[in-house]
Amino acid sequence: MRDSKYLLPDNSETIRATEILAKEGFIVMPYMYPDLNVARDLVNAGASTIMPLASPIGSNKGLATKEFIQILIDEIDLPIIVDAGIGRPSQACEAMEMGASAIMANTALATAGDLPMMASAFRQAIEAGRKAYLSGLGRVLTRGASASDPLTGFLRN
């Protein structure tokens, strides 16, 4: 990494390193800034998964790059492991609800007051998010309202 202040990945160098390592037989799981074109190049270079950052490493700021991660989940045919910046179990759950294959969390656990309890909370959140994704989340309306109860209005008939 050339950026020692923010620890942001150098996507072009990551592509080159992935290509070299994959040709040598390594299983490459590259950490990258979420960019669809870069992710496609990483796939072509031999990556086994794509690991986009959610927000800066160690920040615990959550899914700051959520929209870009969703594009990768929708368009890339490899597991997407959300890495860096996940600070709360609810954020891990949200990433899993989006369809991520996994999340990476370090600082959130390392700085927690009760590590075993926080680890348990993350596990439960990840499991809940995955189950929600697999169950098929309900639609989101952008305008108006829609009754979900089939009996709504039956007293007026």
Side-chain angles (χ1 to χ4, degrees):
M1 276 188 212
R2 293 188 299 183
D3 171 35
S4 60
K5 183 175 182 180
Y6 299 102
L7 304 178
L8 296 173
D10 180 332
N11 281 347
S12 60
E13 289 296 321
T14 301
I15 294 165
R16 280 193 274 276
T18 298
E19 189 170 48
I20 292 166
L21 292 169
K23 283 181 182 175
E24 291 182 12
F26 287 90
I27 296 172
V28 185
M29 302 169 67
Y31 167 66
M32 52 93 72
Y33 191 86
D35 176 293
L36 179 58
N37 294 314
V38 172
R40 287 177 175 154
D41 288 344
L42 288 168
V43 170
N44 292 334
S48 62
T49 188
I50 302 295
M51 296 176 58
L53 63 85
S55 57
I57 292 174
S59 70
N60 285 345
K61 290 183 176 181
L63 291 163
T65 61
K66 179 180 178 178
E67 297 299 322
F68 299 105
I69 291 171
Q70 188 65 65
I71 290 169
L72 300 184
I73 290 168
D74 293 344
E75 299 296 326
I76 299 298
D77 233 3
L78 288 176
I80 304 296
I81 300 173
V82 179
D83 190 8
I86 299 294
R88 297 184 179 130
S90 59
Q91 296 162 349
C93 182
E94 187 175 6
M96 297 304 291
E97 286 175 346
M98 292 167 54
S101 298
I103 66 105
M104 297 281 285
N106 180 30
T107 304
L109 297 168
T111 61
D114 184 332
L115 175 60
M117 187 180 294
M118 184 61 77
S120 176
F122 264 87
R123 177 183 177 165
Q124 292 169 350
I126 290 165
E127 289 172 349
R130 185 66 179 166
K131 286 179 184 177
Y133 172 75
L134 292 175
S135 72
L137 296 168
R139 70 176 190 264
V140 175
L141 295 177
T142 56
R143 293 187 188 162
S146 176
S148 60
D149 184 346
L151 298 178
T152 297
F154 79 98
L155 292 176
R156 288 178 279 171
N157 295 335

